[in-house]
Amino acid sequence: MSEIINLASKIEEQLPAELVNFMQVAGEVTASQGQSLYLVGGVVRDLLLGRTNLDLDLVVEGNAIDLAQQLIIKIKQGKIITHPRFNTAKLQWNKWSIDLTTARSETYAKPGALPSVKPGSIDKDLFRRDFTINTMAIKLNPSHYGELIDLYGGRDDLEHKLIRILHERSFIDDATRIWRGLRYEQRLNFQLEPNTLQLLQRDIPMLDTISGDRIRYELECILQEEFPEKVLHRAEELGVLAKLHPSLKGNGWLAKKFEQARQLSSPNLPPVGLYLALLAYPLTNEETEHLISYLRFPKSLAQTLRDSSSLKAKIQSLADPGLIPSRIYRLLHGYCPPAIVANSLACDSPVARQHIQLFLDKLRYVKSALTGNDLKRIGIAPGPRIKEILNLLHEAKLDGKVTSKRGEEKLVEGWLGRSPPTPPA
Ligand code: ATP
């Protein structure tokens, strides 16, 4: 019989007391009903690795929604969000969010389809998972609290730094695991176990069975990693990146630009849109449109990609050292900030970069002091003329030709002094 490993002290050391208490209470409540509760997945892996992870996933051999309802009464605070179709619940209180699912087994009717799910034991629930390092669980019932369940060699693979699938058809059943495997490999500095690597390469064509939405989700997860460029580089090396789009590159250029994006965004991570715009920078307008429709990006990300692509065509104009501020403003106004920042990082011209910086730091905030109402008061009839004059005032202010409200009034009076009032062209 294999030795029993108890991780209770690791739980105590590495997780906040509030979460530890919660798990103990949850274990007691579950046991009092003759059922079993487990901590599973990424958090168990990370407890063993000593990495911070506060995303608790609990699995109950019972009914997750019923249990969540009892627990919310017990802790006397928070709320639950339930998904009766999958019999799962999310419990939220203070800053914590805990996923509770009913142990289940899965079967795949055809590659890439969402699985059919039915209630099952913890063994089956762990077997449906992606990689051995994610198949470990910890018992939470008081009589066995802290005991590690490791049915598929997860601990051994953690020790040998290996990413290993559980069975030959894993990538065929669900090819998103290809992207997930590369993400774990690069995040943890592990290696794909040789047979897993071979099967991954064999099954790359199975990525075609996955919907754009699911692939986009995986890409967004990658772009929230500490060093997404490592995953993208590996994906290019293995021919996985080309499945997103053949013109995408995970090269040294991208690594340099991602690093600059991080420096710029520090202490936060760069927004996903900025990383995406840099990744898509080598694409033509048409290729960008293909990527947008394949991955079905939501509006704001699609806009960032389109803006970035169309701004790229203006870099040559922005590289003219003689540009006056109002012209810089006109070239950049209306584009979303992540697209502008992406172009600043990606372009080769130091002059264009300086102009973009001037726009981002200063020009985009410049407003004329006079408003449309002020102009009506001065005697300009309502109509398109007002807009024209406001634009001219704005340009004058951008170019430093006027610096005060009084100055603006004088300028307008000067224009009106001509008969009929014609602002300068
Ligand atoms: P992360 O550390 O990135 O949050 P995680 O391990 O918590 O990773 P999630 O994406 O939150 O991963 O998924 C929770 C668990 O569900 C995983 O540990 C894994 O066991 C399982 N899982 C998620 N996606 C799949 C999949 N496509 N196929 C099989 N199992 C999966």
Side-chain angles (χ1 to χ4, degrees):
M1 220 180 98
S2 58
E3 59 170 332
I4 292 174
I5 294 170
N6 195 301
L7 298 177
S9 56
K10 269 196 194 297
I11 293 178
E12 192 91 14
E13 281 159 25
Q14 292 184 39
L15 294 179
E18 216 177 340
L19 291 182
V20 179
N21 290 340
F22 171 81
M23 286 195 292
Q24 286 168 347
V25 169
E28 284 160 20
V29 170
T30 317
S32 71
Q33 292 161 10
Q35 297 175 343
S36 298
L37 184 68
Y38 307 87
L39 180 64
V40 297
V43 66
V44 180
R45 174 198 71 217
D46 288 339
L47 272 174
L48 286 164
L49 289 172
R51 291 171 68 97
T52 307
N53 185 344
L54 303 178
D55 288 335
L56 301 196
D57 283 316
L58 302 183
V59 168
V60 60
E61 283 174 321
N63 186 320
I65 294 181
D66 287 353
L67 178 61
Q69 277 158 350
Q70 288 160 26
L71 289 174
I72 204 97
I73 295 169
K74 194 95 181 164
I75 62 175
K76 298 192 182 85
Q77 53 182 330
K79 61 170 184 176
I80 46 178
I81 303 162
T82 61
H83 294 284
R85 211 179 126 210
F86 302 106
N87 207 345
T88 63
K90 196 182 266 301
L91 236 150
Q92 292 172 326
W93 84 100
N94 295 343
K95 55 181 173 176
W96 311 117
S97 172
I98 292 178
D99 286 316
L100 257 171
T101 58
T102 303
R104 62 190 197 227
S105 62
E106 286 177 352
T107 42
Y108 290 82
K110 62 174 189 194
L114 289 175
S116 324
V117 171
K118 60 175 188 203
S121 62
I122 186 72
D123 302 13
K124 294 243 172 69
D125 190 283
L126 296 175
F127 187 69
R128 73 181 169 85
R129 288 163 192 270
D130 45 7
F131 303 106
T132 58
I133 58 167
N134 288 338
T135 60
M136 288 175 284
I138 297 175
K139 293 186 185 174
L140 296 179
N141 288 37
S143 54
H144 294 278
Y145 182 83
E147 282 178 19
L148 180 69
I149 301 178
D150 179 16
L151 303 173
Y152 306 107
R155 200 158 143 266
D156 215 40
D157 282 339
L158 265 193
E159 255 162 44
H160 293 95
K161 298 178 179 276
L162 290 175
I163 307 293
R164 185 196 304 268
I165 44 175
L166 275 76
H167 57 88
E168 284 248 332
R169 286 187 54 86
S170 185
F171 294 125
I172 298 176
D173 284 345
D174 180 357
T176 64
R177 293 171 186 163
I178 292 178
W179 279 109
R180 293 179 64 83
L182 302 186
R183 179 153 64 87
Y184 288 124
E185 184 195 43
Q186 297 306 312
R187 180 204 292 173
L188 301 173
N189 266 327
F190 280 24
Q191 278 189 325
L192 289 160
E193 170 277 325
N195 188 42
T196 299
L197 176 59
Q198 235 176 38
L199 294 171
L200 183 150
Q201 287 182 292
R202 181 197 72 184
D203 293 336
I204 288 174
M206 299 312 289
L207 282 165
D208 293 339
T209 64
I210 305 293
S211 70
D213 282 310
R214 293 188 68 212
I215 300 277
R216 186 191 67 241
Y217 173 78
E218 293 303 327
L219 180 61
E220 287 180 4
C221 288
I222 288 165
L223 296 178
Q224 287 162 44
E225 289 287 316
E226 196 179 354
F227 298 110
E229 63 271 29
K230 288 174 62 187
V231 186
L232 297 167
H233 176 68
R234 182 71 161 138
E236 180 180 2
E237 187 176 85
L238 295 175
V240 175
L241 189 62
K243 294 296 280 180
L244 274 189
H245 195 287
S247 305
L248 293 177
K249 295 276 172 275
N251 55 13
W253 179 89
L254 189 77
K256 195 164 118 199
K257 298 305 160 185
F258 273 24
E259 177 54 37
Q260 290 170 355
R262 279 193 290 277
Q263 283 171 11
L264 204 68
S265 313
S266 169
N268 299 316
L269 285 181
V272 165
L274 175 54
Y275 271 152
L276 261 183
L278 289 170
L279 176 65
Y281 206 73
L283 306 188
T284 62
N285 275 336
E286 204 185 328
E287 290 172 333
T288 303
E289 284 306 324
H290 270 129
L291 190 69
I292 291 171
S293 63
Y294 168 38
L295 296 183
R296 294 163 40 97
F297 282 110
K299 249 193 193 152
S300 72
L301 285 180
Q303 194 58 49
T304 300
L305 288 176
R306 289 193 176 108
D307 279 3
S308 174
S309 184
S310 81
L311 195 48
K312 196 165 68 169
K314 293 188 174 175
I315 290 296
Q316 224 179 347
S317 310
L318 280 161
D320 174 356
L323 281 186
I324 54 171
S326 58
R327 173 90 179 115
I328 297 173
Y329 182 90
R330 244 182 288 138
L331 284 166
L332 292 169
H333 174 64
Y335 290 108
C336 63
I340 298 177
V341 175
N343 270 271
S344 165
L345 292 175
C347 77
D348 292 328
S349 156
V351 175
R353 224 172 292 138
Q354 258 175 19
H355 286 155
I356 291 177
Q357 208 50 50
L358 179 67
F359 174 83
L360 288 172
D361 292 345
K362 201 168 143 205
L363 302 183
R364 64 173 159 160
Y365 302 114
V366 170
K367 285 196 168 55
S368 59
L370 291 183
T371 64
N373 281 338
D374 293 327
L375 294 183
K376 281 187 222 156
R377 199 171 25 77
I378 294 173
I380 301 168
R385 193 107 184 117
I386 299 246
K387 184 111 205 324
E388 268 171 47
I389 294 180
L390 282 175
N391 280 342
L392 288 165
L393 275 177
H394 186 224
E395 285 192 2
K397 181 123 186 217
L398 283 165
D399 293 335
K401 291 183 184 151
V402 63
T403 52
S404 66
K405 190 167 182 180
R406 183 66 206 122
E408 288 184 23
E409 280 166 357
K410 275 194 188 155
L411 210 57
V412 177
E413 277 156 15
W415 292 337
L416 290 176
R418 295 174 205 156
S419 174
T422 25

